[in-house]
Amino acid sequence: NAGVTQTPKFQVLKTGQSMTLQCAQDMNHEYMSWYRQDPGMGLRLIHYSVGAGITDQGEVPNGYNVSRSTTEDFPLRLLSAAPSQTSVYFCASNEVTGIMETQYFGPGTRLLVL
Amino acid sequence: AQKVTQAQTEISVVEKEDVTLDCVYETRDTTYYLFWYKQPPSGELVFLIRRNSFDEQNEISGRYSWNFQKSTSSFNFTITASQVVDSAVYFCALSEAEGNFNKFYFGSGTKLNVKP
């Protein structure tokens, strides 16, 4: 049971380049989400998914796309990277037990856009 | 307006001191959940505790304790006899239902420095 995995751990992009941040979980969780963490701002929700084929926008979705073709994978795509997207990105998977819910986070991807 | 406020940006204590991290939240829901996470210098986010809005009992886990008070919308976290390994950024979070998803709102974090 690997939990939530993210790749790559670190990436440098030039402005305008595209890339996909990978996220996978092996806990069969329906709910997954992407956050970005910037200094002094805590975590902000980018996109989330309540199951395969279903995604929705969070607080800061602009510049990012997501898809959820399987329960396990939830990739985050940057179509045209901008310096403002320099951040640490966390993927999370939600465990729902009855009415209780807990998030488990991946190790993060540190992205630098030049 | 911030849904979760952690007014203490950074706290420094000496080892063995007790320290309390404050968290104030804002919600109109009657059912919600509160969380604390730890982010050590290595960067990963570690789940510490989850508390639902119907359970106001204080909880103690080893050196950690949590004080949930609905009357003041606070969910404070106390570390007793702090240790250097407690040095980390601590995040408080609120989860409330929006449609068929429970959205999480994080505070900006409190950086705790425990000096030997």
Side-chain angles (χ1 to χ4, degrees), chain A residues 9 49 59-60 92 95 104:
Chain A
K9 290 185 178 179
S49 169
E59 182 184 354
V60 288
E95 175 190 63
Y104 297 95

Side-chain angles (χ1 to χ4, degrees), chain B:
Chain B
Q2 283 243 350
K3 279 190 170 286
V4 179
T5 301
Q6 295 179 254
Q8 305 150 306
T9 304
E10 188 165 353
I11 301 175
S12 292
V13 299
V14 177
E15 206 169 18
K16 298 184 182 178
E17 285 185 8
D18 298 346
V19 59
T20 295
L21 310 182
D22 298 332
C23 174
V24 174
Y25 62 92
E26 179 184 331
T27 181
R28 294 182 180 178
D29 287 2
T30 54
T31 302
Y32 54 90
Y33 304 93
L34 297 164
F35 300 78
W36 276 95
Y37 292 87
K38 175 182 179 180
Q39 187 174 42
S42 51
E44 74 272 23
L45 282 158
V46 179
F47 164 77
L48 294 178
I49 189 172
R50 171 189 59 213
R51 176 50 49 93
N52 74 60
S53 53
F54 297 108
D55 184 0
E56 285 192 77
Q57 279 190 338
N58 289 334
E59 181 153 344
I60 298 175
S61 176
R63 297 184 296 108
Y64 295 169
S65 62
W66 290 269
N67 183 359
F68 175 31
Q69 292 195 338
K70 290 178 75 172
S71 60
T72 56
S73 297
S74 64
F75 186 45
N76 296 338
F77 172 31
T78 297
I79 302 175
T80 303
S82 60
Q83 300 176 1
V84 173
V85 293
D86 295 328
S87 296
V89 179
Y90 291 86
F91 291 96
C92 179
L94 163 73
S95 171
E96 58 182 20
E98 290 194 20
N100 58 353
F101 186 75
N102 285 340
K103 280 191 177 177
F104 280 67
Y105 299 92
F106 285 79
S108 54
T110 296
K111 184 176 183 181
L112 175 64
N113 302 306
V114 182
K115 301 175 183 177

Side-chain angles (χ1 to χ4, degrees), chain A residues 10-85:
Chain A
F10 181 73
Q11 182 72 46
V12 179
L13 292 178
K14 294 181 180 179
T15 296
Q17 285 185 316
S18 63
M19 80 159 295
T20 298
L21 309 186
Q22 301 292 345
C23 174
Q25 51 93 8
D26 60 359
M27 298 173 282
N28 202 34
H29 292 167
E30 292 293 330
Y31 293 175
M32 296 183 73
S33 46
W34 275 102
Y35 294 84
R36 59 178 289 173
Q37 183 180 27
D38 302 299
M41 300 190 72
L43 279 78
R44 292 184 292 169
L45 182 65
I46 304 171
H47 284 285
Y48 65 93
S49 169
V50 299
I54 307 170
T55 64
D56 206 345
Q57 297 181 347
E59 182 184 354
V60 288
N62 292 339
Y64 308 95
N65 282 343
V66 291
S67 60
R68 185 93 181 272
S69 55
T70 66
T71 299
E72 294 77 20
D73 300 300
F74 190 42
L76 178 72
R77 279 184 286 276
L78 286 71
L79 297 179
S80 180
S84 61
Q85 293 178 304

